[in-house]
Amino acid sequence: MPLSPATEPESPDDFQPAAKPSLDLSRIQFIQGEFAPFLEGFDDAEAPIRVERFYWIHDRLFLDGWSPQRIQQALAVTEVRGRIIAVTSGKGGVGKTTVSVNLAVAFAQCGRRTLLFDGDFGMGNVHVFAGINPSVTVLDVLDGNVGISDALIDGPAGLKVLCGASGISRIASLDSRQLDRLAGQMCRLAAKFDIIILDTGAGIGREVLSLLSLADEVLVVATPNLASNLDAYGVIKAAHEAQIGANFGVLANQATTEAEANVVRERLVNCAAQFLKLSIRDLGWLPRAPRIESANQSRRSVLLSSPNSEVTRRFRSLAAAFLPDGLRSESESNSPSQSAAA
């Protein structure tokens, strides 16, 4: 029988066990498996916090009779972390990584502590567009060679980057245990940042949906190409069926005219509303711009190579669309005609 609310510690932050008894091995294994996302990602300095959390879970589960679901809900409330934005797409080649890198730079230039994570497992190329030659990648984290905090690399405009591996087949299909462990480490790491940009792989694979489940916001990138539209809707549908509770938005990219971009945005917004009963945000559009291609080829963000360009203003306005009330960026003072999020 659970304790009364007056004596029952509702949060692991309120719990200080009088003693730490030795535990049954089967209980240890159950807790480590069931609550892995909440127990992973602590660095050496935070090891005592992990121990206290472990005993809090044990006592709620085996002494007070809490269900695992109730414990997970209580733990989730205590997770203080930055805003996670996942950038995804139904198919490759739509400019998803370009959007991720430039959006991250825009946040960093606004003074936000920003992390850019290359979640395209096996075919990561964030480091290419960010101008980084990584000595350590997420593969080293998964292999246990380094902690996730030690895998972060300095990126443009002061942001931090967790680089993906490229051309490594075994990382392209992680099992659920590896994904859970990485998710736990990401949640812990997110407490140190204001904004986290997840550049996911394309499609609806397990790895993609796992990253989308971490996000507060999902930005779906699509081009005027019909197949891109259909696949973008497929991602939204799959995430909705997986009960991913993030806010969804669509960005039309590589459009030659605003009218062409409007077709993409209206098609996805209307289909989601009609067939999924899901409201998704229209995040505007980005043009097919030679400046972007030139910046990519030179391995620089267009915000750094062309700081006063129209496309740079659009990226800054797109970033402003994700800032909560009271946290305004100077990009919001741009006219509506310049705003990618108008």
Side-chain angles (χ1 to χ4, degrees):
M1 178 71 66
L3 300 177
S4 67
T7 59
E8 193 175 63
E10 287 290 339
S11 164
D13 294 338
D14 302 328
F15 179 64
Q16 294 183 346
K20 296 182 175 63
S22 56
L23 303 180
D24 180 83
L25 179 59
S26 62
R27 292 186 176 185
I28 294 175
Q29 293 173 337
F30 176 80
I31 293 172
Q32 289 176 335
E34 188 75 15
F35 302 97
F38 299 102
L39 294 171
E40 300 290 348
F42 291 90
D43 58 29
D44 291 342
E46 297 173 318
I49 301 175
R50 183 183 187 278
V51 172
E52 299 296 341
R53 175 168 289 191
F54 184 93
Y55 276 91
W56 183 88
I57 294 172
H58 173 273
D59 289 0
R60 301 293 74 70
L61 192 64
F62 296 108
L63 298 184
D64 298 335
W66 286 25
S67 68
Q69 293 75 20
R70 183 181 177 187
I71 294 174
Q72 289 169 351
Q73 290 172 356
L75 289 168
V77 170
T78 69
E79 294 289 339
V80 178
R81 59 174 175 78
R83 194 168 189 80
I84 298 179
I85 303 170
V87 182
T88 193
S89 65
K91 67 189 300 292
V94 300
K96 173 178 52 61
T97 299
T98 297
V99 171
S100 296
V101 171
N102 285 285
L103 188 58
V105 170
F107 281 122
Q109 288 182 331
C110 288
R112 305 313 193 272
R113 297 172 301 166
T114 306
L115 168 66
L116 174 59
F117 171 47
D118 192 341
D120 190 350
F121 300 119
M123 293 297 289
N125 56 13
V126 159
H127 64 283
V128 177
F129 293 164
I132 296 172
N133 297 314
S135 58
V136 61
T137 71
V138 69
L139 180 61
D140 297 290
V141 177
L142 292 168
D143 286 344
N145 297 327
V146 297
I148 195 167
S149 295
D150 297 324
L152 303 186
I153 297 175
D154 292 334
L159 62 86
K160 295 291 185 179
V161 183
L162 179 56
C163 296
S166 182
I168 309 296
S169 59
R170 65 186 177 88
I171 197 179
S173 55
L174 303 177
D175 60 38
S176 58
R177 178 74 180 226
Q178 290 173 304
L179 289 172
D180 285 345
R181 173 168 293 186
L182 184 61
Q185 292 176 311
M186 282 298 301
C187 287
R188 291 296 306 162
L189 188 62
K192 302 176 182 179
F193 293 90
D194 301 316
I195 299 289
I196 302 90
I197 303 294
L198 303 180
D199 180 39
T200 79
I204 56 174
R206 179 173 56 187
E207 294 84 0
V208 173
L209 293 177
S210 176
L211 290 179
L212 296 187
S213 70
L214 300 177
D216 302 295
E217 307 276 352
V218 175
L219 192 165
V220 182
V221 182
T223 70
N225 179 279
L226 179 59
S228 171
N229 290 195
L230 295 174
D231 290 345
Y233 176 74
V235 169
I236 297 170
K237 182 174 181 289
H240 179 67
E241 291 176 346
Q243 298 183 336
I244 291 173
N247 299 315
F248 283 79
V250 60
L251 175 73
N253 192 31
Q254 299 177 0
T256 55
T257 65
E258 184 173 6
E260 189 178 52
N262 288 343
V263 173
V264 178
R265 296 147 61 190
E266 292 172 4
R267 179 180 288 154
L268 291 174
V269 170
N270 292 339
C271 284
Q274 180 178 353
F275 299 111
L276 303 177
K277 309 302 179 187
L278 180 66
S279 176
I280 63 176
R281 286 207 293 169
D282 179 354
L283 293 171
W285 68 287
L286 294 169
R288 181 181 292 278
R291 289 182 185 272
I292 295 179
E293 180 60 27
S294 176
N296 287 344
Q297 292 299 322
S298 63
R299 303 185 64 188
R300 296 190 71 196
S301 161
V302 72
L303 277 78
L304 299 176
S305 62
S306 302
N308 298 316
S309 65
E310 169 67 15
V311 70
T312 289
R313 287 193 290 271
R314 287 178 178 271
F315 272 117
R316 288 174 177 159
S317 295
L318 178 61
F322 290 102
L323 297 176
D325 291 342
L327 294 179
R328 301 297 183 186
S329 92
E330 62 184 6
S331 64
E332 290 184 291
S333 62
N334 291 333
S335 67
S337 63
Q338 295 172 334
S339 174

